[in-house]
Amino acid sequence: MSVDQPSPSAVIVADVTRREIEAFLYLEARLADESRYAEWEALVTDDMHYWVPKGAADYDPATRLSYINDNRARLATRIRQLRTGLRHAQTPPSPMRRIISNIEILEADDAAGRFVVASNFVLYEVAAQATNELRIWPGRVTHHLRRVEGRLRMSKKIVELVTSELPQPNMAFLL
Amino acid sequence: MIADYAEVIHDDRVHGSLYSDPEVFDHEMDRIFRRGWVFVGHESEVPQPGDWVTRLIGLEPVIMVRGTDRTVRVLSNRCAHRGTALCWREKGNSRVFQCNYHGWTFGLDGSLRGVPHKAGFERERAELGLDRPRAVELYRGFVFANISGDAGPLSDHLGAGGRELIDRLCDLSPTGNIRLDAGWIGHRIQSNWKMWPESDEDGYHVDFVHISMLRTTQSYYQDTIVGGEASNNSRAVDHGGGHSELDMRPGYKSQLSWLGVTREKVTEYCNAMVRRYGEARANRLLWEGPPHAFIFPNLFLAELNLARVEPLGVNLTVHYHTAVQFEGVDDQFNRRLLRQSEAALGPGSFIVADDAVTAERMQTAFAGAAVGRSSNGFGAAWIDLSRGQKRERVDEQGRRIGHVSDEVTNRAFWRRYRQMMRAK
Ligand code: FES
Ligand SMILES: [Fe+2]
């Protein structure tokens, strides 16, 4: 996290909007935790960008390597691959649960239905495919949300792992 | 205790305890990573004087740095006073290296420049420069080091085969130069390091380990390495010296198959290639593409990616990769290579994530293998490497060649490994 840039401060939205946003984050987290790929994919917009940078998300992912840098088409491939049931890196799917907290709404345009939301998370994963160890994935997520036909969808999910400068074990599940 | 490595490494089978016995790992750190040549990095990673990256050679921490004289050096990352690591980030730029413990400073060439509170310093400064591998050599920008200095010249280690493999990659650049400046992604795998030279050059597993990838995407692998003996004529090649290749050239159906595009999509690149090499040679290069090859013991020329294998312990390895970037092409071209790299390698990739689980499953199965080493009954834990041994042939240059699905490449690795591990 770069220190020379001012950290964006949270904006205040109506309670009902905040609850709607929180409900989206919790649903998205639960579907990812339970490897419900199709239902999870239904939450993304046609211009979805799913990005797990190496280090802080302060670079242009077009110019440097990332762990994951999926545009909508590549994300569709990722989910198709998982849904073959033959993706060894997720066979069986990892049992997972994540805790989301410190939810801050960084940008809100309620009229246009656009929000940028940051939160902290800790994900607990059992690497059930081979080693059966418990892996702990702490980090921060930034969601870009958009209301589409009255419902929130995500157009961007950036996952900044606390450990992201270090070598990572398999992350073949939905982070 | 293994008295003679020939007892556990035969031409057609090796013992599983070689993946799980901590004593074997200690021997490897000495006999392969200290006494042999090891890939360290690429000079393009340190373009400016003072640029450095930190690496391990075996378990030895080193700094690869460009000096003010523009020479690339490899120095010990251990202060010559009492051993504190001088650099603890992945990369950086420094005018000097200053140790934070007692403030000794070292030049970019490793010489000791300053010692605080001089009166009590009773040695010559020249005696206490940073230690360094006794031999460091470059080949086309690839930096190799041999800690002990008694492995002979690098060109002998690479041999004609290893040099040709590196040439085939670099020659795909319209300037003949590649850059490794896209950053390294580390993939942490709970397996022994040797699963990686094996799996990276295994032409037998793609139908099975990568079946989910094959069912979801179209790629040139369908023509080159998938579908077994009837459907492709790619080759597994033992180049000697432990270097091996899955040679997919015979399987390509068109020019630029390896890039997944037609010529019209990358006209500027093709024109630049023709300008440098002439029509005939450019055509051949564009047809043949980059090698899929492993340079013993730790460098994977992964087509348009580069990977290095870093052993951290008998059960722990990091498989680092980066995208090859070409000089003399437009940004869009290099970005295509970045995107392909993210799809193919690393913890979130469509391909190597499945190899990682496979390696971890192998490691799990060998946890107790050392116990059964002297037995021939249940628990003996041998692995079979005989596939295609009878049908491999030797060509005019002495290379062993077999069908792409044959374990020619694995045998190549183990033959070299055995030779180095037997040297006392
Ligand atoms: S250990 Fe480096 S100066 Fe003392
Ligand atoms: Fe593989």
Side-chain angles (χ1 to χ4, degrees):
Chain A
M1 319 297 128
S2 62
V3 282
D4 35 16
Q5 277 167 24
S7 198
S9 49
V11 298
I12 304 299
V13 297
D15 263 8
V16 59
T17 306
R18 186 179 173 88
R19 278 202 295 275
E20 183 191 6
I21 290 169
E22 286 175 358
F24 180 91
L25 298 190
Y26 295 148
L27 173 66
E28 193 263 309
R30 179 162 53 85
L31 296 177
D33 284 347
E34 296 177 1
S35 302
R36 290 158 72 156
Y37 307 121
E39 289 164 83
W40 186 88
E41 194 175 18
L43 300 181
V44 314
T45 60
D46 292 343
D47 57 346
M48 174 69 176
H49 181 214
Y50 170 42
W51 184 27
V52 184
K54 180 182 172 188
D58 59 358
Y59 65 94
D60 176 358
T63 62
R64 239 166 64 196
L65 281 180
S66 302
Y67 293 106
I68 294 173
N69 177 26
D70 289 358
N71 62 13
R72 184 66 186 89
R74 185 164 284 181
L75 180 59
T77 304
R78 181 178 300 281
I79 288 170
R80 268 206 317 282
Q81 184 183 26
L82 285 163
R83 293 184 72 191
T84 60
L86 300 165
R87 168 68 152 161
H88 300 299
Q90 271 299 293
T91 307
S94 301
M96 292 184 282
R97 286 297 166 192
R98 73 193 75 191
I99 310 297
I100 299 174
S101 184
N102 304 54
I103 299 170
E104 293 180 283
I105 299 168
L106 301 180
E107 289 172 35
D109 183 343
D110 215 344
R114 288 170 179 271
F115 307 93
V116 177
V117 184
S119 58
N120 290 350
F121 72 93
V122 186
L123 162 61
Y124 298 90
E125 180 216 357
V126 173
Q129 303 79 29
T131 64
N132 281 314
E133 64 174 344
L134 177 68
R135 291 179 182 159
I136 300 170
W137 302 80
R140 183 164 179 82
V141 188
T142 306
H143 284 88
H144 289 223
L145 304 179
R146 201 156 77 210
R147 243 187 232 110
V148 181
E149 290 160 8
R151 312 191 124 208
L152 286 179
R153 295 281 175 269
M154 58 182 160
S155 60
K156 197 188 269 281
K157 182 177 185 184
I158 306 171
V159 183
E160 293 174 278
L161 294 166
V162 168
T163 55
S164 74
E165 296 282 3
L166 310 177
Q168 299 293 323
N170 266 4
M171 48 169 90
F173 50 82
L174 296 170
L175 247 180
Chain B
M1 177 68 189
I2 296 172
D4 181 350
Y5 276 87
E7 289 166 15
V8 287
I9 308 166
H10 302 268
D11 285 341
D12 59 347
R13 58 178 194 151
V14 305
H15 197 266
S17 60
L18 295 165
Y19 300 105
S20 60
D21 181 344
E23 190 189 51
V24 172
F25 184 83
D26 292 344
H27 287 162
E28 290 167 348
M29 291 304 103
D30 177 32
R31 297 176 195 178
I32 292 174
F33 287 88
R34 199 179 70 82
R35 295 198 223 168
W37 284 102
V38 177
F39 171 70
V40 178
H42 192 271
E43 65 165 342
S44 65
E45 296 183 69
V46 288
Q48 300 303 325
D51 285 348
W52 52 263
V53 296
T54 50
R55 291 288 142 89
L56 292 176
I57 301 177
L59 294 177
E60 275 297 304
V62 296
I63 307 165
M64 181 175 86
V65 57
R66 191 177 291 274
T68 41
D69 59 356
R70 302 204 69 84
T71 303
V72 175
R73 293 187 177 80
V74 179
L75 308 170
S76 173
N77 188 10
R78 194 155 52 214
C79 176
H81 179 217
R82 277 170 35 198
T84 309
L86 296 166
C87 301
W88 54 92
R89 293 177 194 276
E90 197 180 336
K91 60 182 182 174
N93 178 284
S94 304
R95 273 191 317 110
V96 293
F97 298 116
Q98 181 169 38
C99 177
N100 76 301
Y101 197 171
H102 314 93
W104 287 23
T105 51
F106 301 88
L108 300 177
D109 61 357
S111 61
L112 178 58
R113 294 289 168 82
V115 175
H117 314 312
K118 283 205 268 299
F121 181 73
E122 296 172 358
R123 290 194 193 275
E124 292 301 313
R125 277 196 303 187
E127 291 171 39
L128 286 167
L130 294 177
D131 200 1
R132 61 178 73 187
R134 296 296 175 268
V136 174
E137 285 191 55
L138 276 69
Y139 183 73
R140 296 199 73 161
F142 289 74
V143 181
F144 295 84
N146 164 220
I147 293 179
S148 72
D150 44 35
L154 175 66
S155 61
D156 288 1
H157 165 69
L158 292 177
R163 290 194 304 272
E164 184 211 302
L165 291 166
I166 294 174
D167 289 343
R168 270 164 48 202
L169 172 63
C170 296
D171 288 348
L172 285 177
S173 162
T175 66
N177 296 320
I178 62 165
R179 290 192 332 250
L180 298 189
D181 57 3
W184 293 92
I185 295 288
H187 191 174
R188 184 180 194 274
I189 301 130
Q190 282 162 281
S191 82
N192 186 262
W193 67 277
K194 298 188 291 300
M195 267 72 161
W196 292 93
E198 291 200 287
S199 139
D200 287 339
E201 290 304 307
D202 182 304
Y204 188 23
H205 75 293
V206 180
D207 290 291
F208 307 100
V209 169
H210 302 301
I211 184 168
S212 64
M213 184 270 293
L214 297 171
R215 294 229 178 139
T216 39
T217 57
Q218 274 299 320
S219 79
Y220 54 89
Y221 289 131
Q222 318 273 359
D223 297 328
T224 52
I225 202 167
V226 172
E229 290 155 335
S231 60
N232 61 61
N233 48 6
S234 301
R235 315 181 305 166
V237 183
D238 169 358
H239 285 274
H243 317 311
S244 66
E245 180 189 10
L246 298 179
D247 181 8
M248 294 185 275
R249 291 173 292 179
Y252 289 141
K253 296 266 193 293
S254 62
Q255 252 188 23
L256 291 162
S257 287
W258 47 275
L259 197 58
V261 298
T262 55
R263 242 177 121 138
E264 297 70 54
K265 283 266 159 58
V266 286
T267 330
E268 244 184 80
Y269 168 66
C270 296
N271 292 345
M273 289 292 282
V274 171
R275 279 197 299 279
R276 178 177 169 92
Y277 297 107
E279 191 71 47
R281 177 139 182 248
N283 269 329
R284 206 182 70 228
L285 288 166
L286 294 175
W287 189 279
E288 294 187 345
H292 183 115
F294 205 96
I295 305 289
F296 190 94
N298 69 329
L299 170 62
F300 179 24
L301 306 177
E303 301 166 48
L304 295 164
N305 309 283
L306 219 78
R308 56 189 166 90
V309 176
E310 190 177 275
L312 289 181
V314 71
N315 293 318
L316 185 60
T317 301
V318 179
H319 195 261
Y320 282 98
H321 78 273
T322 190
V324 170
Q325 301 279 276
F326 290 153
E327 274 186 13
V329 301
D330 54 39
D331 287 350
Q332 206 196 345
F333 186 96
N334 276 331
R335 286 175 186 187
R336 174 189 294 278
L337 305 186
L338 291 175
R339 302 291 83 80
Q340 290 186 350
S341 191
E342 283 159 346
L345 288 106
S349 67
F350 299 128
I351 301 182
V352 176
D354 292 318
D355 295 301
V357 158
T358 309
E360 290 179 340
R361 288 177 184 167
M362 248 179 114
Q363 191 69 28
T364 307
F366 288 128
V371 176
R373 195 150 54 204
S374 53
S375 135
N376 277 316
F378 178 80
W382 288 90
I383 70 165
D384 179 73
L385 290 173
S386 63
R387 186 181 163 82
Q389 203 179 17
K390 294 211 178 78
R391 65 180 180 181
E392 74 182 22
R393 62 186 176 84
V394 178
D395 76 358
E396 323 74 57
Q397 282 121 314
R399 297 179 295 201
R400 288 166 201 260
I401 295 174
H403 182 264
V404 68
S405 69
D406 290 349
E407 281 151 350
V408 176
T409 46
N410 303 79
R411 289 190 290 272
F413 173 84
W414 284 105
R415 197 173 291 116
R416 173 70 170 155
Y417 176 92
R418 177 175 58 196
Q419 180 206 355
M420 293 188 80
M421 291 294 275
R422 290 191 80 191
K424 288 285 156 58

